Amino acid sequence: MSNQTINQAPTPKPSGMDRFLNAIEKAGNKIPDPAILFFWALVIVWVASAVLSNVSFDLINPRTGGALEVNNLLTGEALASFLANMVTTFTGFAPLGIVLVAMLGVGVADSSGFIQTGLKKMLNFTPAKLLTPMLILVAIVSHTAADAGYVLVIPLGGIIFHAAGRHPLAGIAAAFAGVSGGFSANFIPSGIDPLLAGFTQTAAQVLDQDYVINPLSNIFFTGLSSVLVIAIGWWVTEKVIEPRLANLPVDEDAEEAPDLGSFTAVESKAFRAAGWAMMAGIALLVFALLPEDSALRSPEGEITAFSAPIMQSIVPLIFILFIIPGIVYGRVAGTFKDSNDIIKAMSHTMSTMGAYIVMSFFCAQFLSAFAQSNIGTMLALYGAEGLKAMNLPGQATIVGMILLTASVNLLVGSASAKWALIGPILVPMLMAVGISPELSQAAYRVGDSVSNIISPLMVFFPLVVVYCQRYVKSTGIGTLASLMMPFSIAMLIGWTLFLLAYWALGIPLGIQAPYTYTM
């Protein structure tokens, strides 16, 4: 016994990174449940709005063109409005509908066995060494379908890693990093490109009334950024996250890892039938989009514009394109005997979303109050004014702009809302020192992406916590934040240096996108 004690290898001391992440996890897990967090955040906003409403600010609100004011939410009129609109604030909370509608279709496809068989085939096709980069690549491409990645790719990341004998939380973290941390990394144009370009153009015209921004002015930069984000996510997942999770056991009563080794002839037959059903649906959609006067296009004939019905129908299309092959697979494979089985599959999926629905109620009330108070606007505008007052060199200003955006992103989640606030200040300011609006927009997109994955106030963050709790029930906000912090830091540093090097080499940012502006 004594010899065994003497020969036992000493426990290695945790590294500095481990101690840092352990501290984040410990502190973060002391934060209450997300629903309680949003409730107390709502109370804080109410009190702060009452105090700050008596303060005069020397800033102009770019949305209204008037002096910035913080609205008091503790007046009788404001409280009466809060009560009167509480239900519609909840039912109108966009992420709630996105998640629930998409999950109805995904739940049918999952219960039928369609997704599981698809994963078997994907794992047989994808080399084990390339599983992580393949997952992150799929997560990046999912940006094209708006917020679909949050309800499709992230939970599948956990399933895929679990089935491959790897820790499921590592798969969730890698997918979350690709979907949200790499939000502006995509080689496929999406609705966010014309949306941000519109705000950038409006901001640029404050100084130059005739300045026009091409919607694809950042497409080359965001396309090459995809390679960078995949490389960073791959390295962080396998060198930092998985070693950290090595000693964190998956709960015994957690969802079992699906057997993705082999598949039967019946499963293959059902998958082929379901696959053809899905392809037929996609073909019909493409056929409907082909005419220039298609009802699915915008009035100008565009497909990717936010005003195009096709872009506003992404979530219903996800529902349809998953429920149809799910039903076909279930009937051919015999997992669905009748229509009652389909309804049971939907009901089972909704039963797992209870915690998210409760959280969404309080999150919706908080975000509505925060927007009405103008506190977020005040913080964003003062941050931009502070950056302007520093009068830094061009490269240092771009870095400062990225850091400012990443910081504001912790409080104001919407990419368009932040750019509408700080763009009219930063874009003309940088134009005055010779930096083009297109370069300013690229810097904004970097900062807007990298801190998404560490902000508990990001509307999908609590949903990712729920995904993690399927495997490790003790997962809290701190657990997820500590998992995502290495991704956030690595992307912030790597992506910022990448933009500076990209600028130094003079590689085109996109179509009609200069680096400099001449007065």
Side-chain angles (χ1 to χ4, degrees):
M1 185 72 177
S2 59
N3 289 337
Q4 187 177 12
T5 303
I6 293 172
N7 294 330
Q8 187 176 7
T11 302
K13 292 183 178 179
S15 65
M17 175 61 75
D18 283 333
R19 290 195 297 270
F20 171 64
L21 296 178
N22 288 339
I24 291 176
E25 181 174 3
K26 185 177 180 180
N29 283 339
K30 290 183 178 179
I31 297 175
D33 183 89
I36 301 299
L37 176 66
F38 283 119
F39 169 75
W40 285 114
L42 173 64
V43 173
I44 292 171
V45 166
W46 278 343
V47 174
S49 70
V51 174
L52 295 174
S53 64
N54 297 313
V55 178
S56 297
F57 300 98
D58 56 351
L59 292 175
I60 300 298
N61 188 334
R63 289 175 174 172
T64 64
L68 175 67
E69 295 180 354
V70 171
N71 298 318
N72 185 356
L73 301 183
L74 287 183
T75 63
E77 182 179 352
L79 290 174
S81 176
F82 171 77
L83 290 174
N85 294 307
M86 181 181 288
V87 174
T88 55
T89 297
F90 174 47
T91 56
F93 185 52
L96 179 66
I98 290 172
V99 171
L100 297 185
V101 173
M103 288 302 293
L104 283 173
V106 173
V108 171
D110 185 32
S111 297
S112 70
F114 173 64
I115 290 179
Q116 182 171 319
T117 302
L119 291 176
K120 290 180 183 180
K121 292 181 176 291
M122 190 193 79
L123 287 180
N124 285 338
F125 170 80
T126 305
K129 292 183 178 180
L130 298 181
L131 185 59
T132 303
M134 179 63 72
L135 174 61
I136 298 174
L137 173 62
V138 172
I140 289 174
V141 173
S142 73
H143 301 155
T144 310
D147 295 322
Y150 290 101
V151 293
L152 290 177
V153 181
I154 295 177
L156 286 179
I159 295 172
I160 291 170
F161 268 50
H162 201 19
R166 300 166 67 176
H167 203 292
L169 265 60
I172 290 173
F176 191 21
V179 171
S180 198
F183 183 72
S184 280
N186 201 345
F187 46 83
I188 301 175
S190 63
I192 194 66
D193 294 303
L195 178 66
L196 292 182
F199 285 112
T200 305
Q201 179 170 302
T202 300
Q205 290 177 350
V206 171
L207 193 65
D208 185 342
Q209 191 172 1
D210 299 323
Y211 204 92
V212 177
I213 303 290
N214 189 298
L216 299 181
S217 60
N218 287 160
I219 190 63
F220 300 153
F221 172 70
T222 57
L224 287 175
S225 293
S226 302
V227 179
L228 175 75
V229 170
I230 291 171
I232 291 175
W234 188 0
W235 185 86
V236 171
T237 299
E238 299 191 357
K239 300 299 183 182
V240 180
I241 302 304
E242 289 194 282
R244 177 172 174 78
L245 291 172
N247 297 322
L248 180 65
V250 175
D251 292 341
E252 293 182 0
D253 58 344
E255 295 183 2
E256 294 184 2
D259 178 13
L260 301 186
S262 60
F263 36 85
T264 65
V266 173
E267 288 176 331
S268 290
K269 179 182 178 182
F271 187 78
R272 284 196 299 271
W276 281 115
M278 177 178 277
M279 293 303 297
I282 294 174
L284 286 173
L285 178 62
V286 172
F287 182 77
L289 283 168
L290 286 177
E292 293 186 1
D293 60 347
S294 168
L296 294 173
R297 293 174 178 255
S298 71
E300 294 76 24
E302 297 177 347
I303 294 176
T304 59
F306 270 99
S307 59
I310 182 66
M311 295 305 296
Q312 298 173 6
S313 305
I314 291 295
V315 173
L317 287 173
I318 290 173
F319 169 76
I320 294 170
L321 291 177
F322 272 88
I323 197 171
I324 290 177
I327 292 173
V328 171
Y329 183 98
R331 296 307 296 265
V332 175
T335 51
F336 288 160
K337 304 298 182 183
D338 53 38
S339 59
N340 290 333
D341 292 333
I342 300 171
I343 300 304
K344 288 177 182 177
M346 291 183 177
S347 299
H348 173 71
T349 301
M350 289 299 100
S351 69
T352 65
M353 301 304 296
Y356 180 72
I357 294 172
V358 173
M359 181 281 304
S360 295
F361 172 78
F362 291 99
C363 181
Q365 309 307 323
F366 160 72
L367 291 178
S368 176
F370 194 64
Q372 293 174 21
S373 69
N374 275 343
I375 292 177
T377 303
M378 176 200 70
L379 295 173
L381 294 181
Y382 270 113
E385 285 291 315
L387 181 60
K388 181 178 180 180
M390 293 179 187
N391 195 25
L392 300 171
Q395 287 78 3
T397 300
I398 288 296
V399 173
M401 181 176 177
I402 292 173
L403 294 174
L404 170 67
T405 305
S407 300
V408 173
N409 194 36
L410 298 175
L411 297 171
V412 183
S414 169
S416 57
K418 282 192 302 294
W419 198 219
L421 289 173
I422 63 179
I425 297 174
L426 293 179
V427 170
M429 177 192 83
L430 296 183
M431 289 171 69
V433 296
I435 295 176
S436 72
E438 292 83 357
L439 178 55
S440 298
Q441 178 179 277
Y444 170 78
R445 296 180 76 155
V446 172
D448 177 55
S449 297
V450 297
S451 62
N452 281 333
I453 50 181
I454 58 172
S455 173
L457 298 185
M458 199 270 287
V459 291
F460 288 105
F461 192 93
L463 178 62
V464 182
V465 174
V466 172
Y467 292 148
C468 293
Q469 289 173 344
R470 294 178 179 176
Y471 305 100
V472 181
K473 291 184 173 58
S474 61
T475 300
I477 291 175
T479 307
L480 182 58
S482 68
L483 284 180
M484 304 314 300
M485 184 64 73
F487 290 103
S488 184
I489 294 174
M491 287 181 179
L492 175 62
I493 296 172
W495 212 344
T496 299
L497 293 176
F498 180 72
L499 176 57
L500 294 177
Y502 198 99
W503 180 10
L505 294 172
I507 304 172
L509 288 167
I511 299 173
Q512 299 173 336
Y515 280 99
T516 59
Y517 173 79
T518 304
M519 295 287 289

